[in-house]
Amino acid sequence: FSVIGVVGVIALLVAVNVISSAWRGRIDMTEEKLYTLSPGTRAILGKLEMPVKIRFYYSRGSVEMPVGLKSFATRVQDLLKEYEVASDGMIDVQLLDPEPDSDAEDSAAFDGVHGQMLGNGDRIFLGLAVSHLEVTQSIPFLSPQREALMEYDITRAIYQLSHPEKPVL
């Protein structure tokens, strides 16, 4: 009976693995639902008619980046991946590491994302720029203190760029 049981458990594990690999859904098991976009954000992303580009500037290679900001930047990256998935290809996220004297640093300056000075004189980047057609809106520095409002800030930038006309009363 033990041989049959072991073979049954292996078959069950293989079946679960095959079924789960075919399923493309995601489950957010965090207490605050950090990786779940709100229904309002999903509605706005569903109505996008033209592609939107998000450039995320993060000094990933900097040794001077505080550990707290590194973990926050990882959460921002995960949230941006959720935007990409929920938009059905209408949002393109680019991750850029603006090292000194690089094209990424020039792009960050052009987009209005400027590095924050550290005590030792080094600069770190943790910001993003949202572009739609020829218009760009930037969030120069993503602060961990505004993490609860991060989805709102990004979604507002996307909405304002994709709906430039003001409503008429």
Side-chain angles (χ1 to χ4, degrees):
F1 288 113
S2 64
V3 172
I4 294 173
V6 169
V7 170
V9 168
I10 291 172
L12 180 65
L13 288 174
V14 169
V16 167
N17 191 24
V18 168
I19 291 170
S20 66
S21 68
W23 184 56
R24 296 283 180 216
R26 294 178 180 206
I27 298 174
D28 183 2
M29 299 181 85
T30 59
E31 186 175 334
E32 297 86 17
K33 299 294 182 200
L34 293 174
Y35 306 112
T36 302
L37 297 178
S38 69
T41 296
R42 290 188 181 279
I44 289 171
L45 296 179
K47 293 179 183 175
L48 287 176
E49 296 174 359
M50 298 285 289
V52 173
K53 186 177 289 190
I54 299 176
R55 286 179 298 285
F56 178 48
Y57 298 99
Y58 162 44
S59 298
R60 171 181 28 252
S62 174
V63 203
E64 302 299 324
M65 176 76 88
V67 175
L69 283 180
K70 283 184 179 181
S71 62
F72 174 65
T74 303
R75 292 192 299 273
V76 172
Q77 260 182 289
D78 291 340
L79 181 65
L80 292 175
K81 286 179 189 172
E82 283 298 314
Y83 272 87
E84 224 172 2
V85 169
S87 71
D88 290 328
M90 294 302 284
I91 291 186
D92 176 34
V93 176
Q94 294 178 337
L95 306 174
L96 300 167
D97 185 359
E99 295 176 351
D101 300 323
S102 67
D103 289 341
E105 184 182 41
D106 294 341
S107 175
F110 181 74
D111 283 337
V113 178
H114 304 288
Q116 302 294 312
M117 294 298 280
L118 296 177
N120 63 0
D122 288 343
R123 290 187 332 166
I124 58 167
F125 289 83
L126 185 61
L128 58 85
V130 181
S131 299
H132 179 71
L133 299 174
E134 297 297 321
V135 183
T136 300
Q137 200 172 64
S138 65
I139 302 175
F141 185 73
L142 296 168
S143 172
Q145 286 77 26
R146 287 190 54 86
E147 184 171 10
L149 298 172
M150 185 171 37
E151 179 185 349
Y152 170 76
D153 291 340
I154 296 169
T155 303
R156 184 182 72 187
I158 292 169
Y159 182 79
Q160 287 176 343
L161 290 175
S162 62
H163 296 86
E165 67 280 345
K166 299 284 184 195
V168 178
L169 297 178

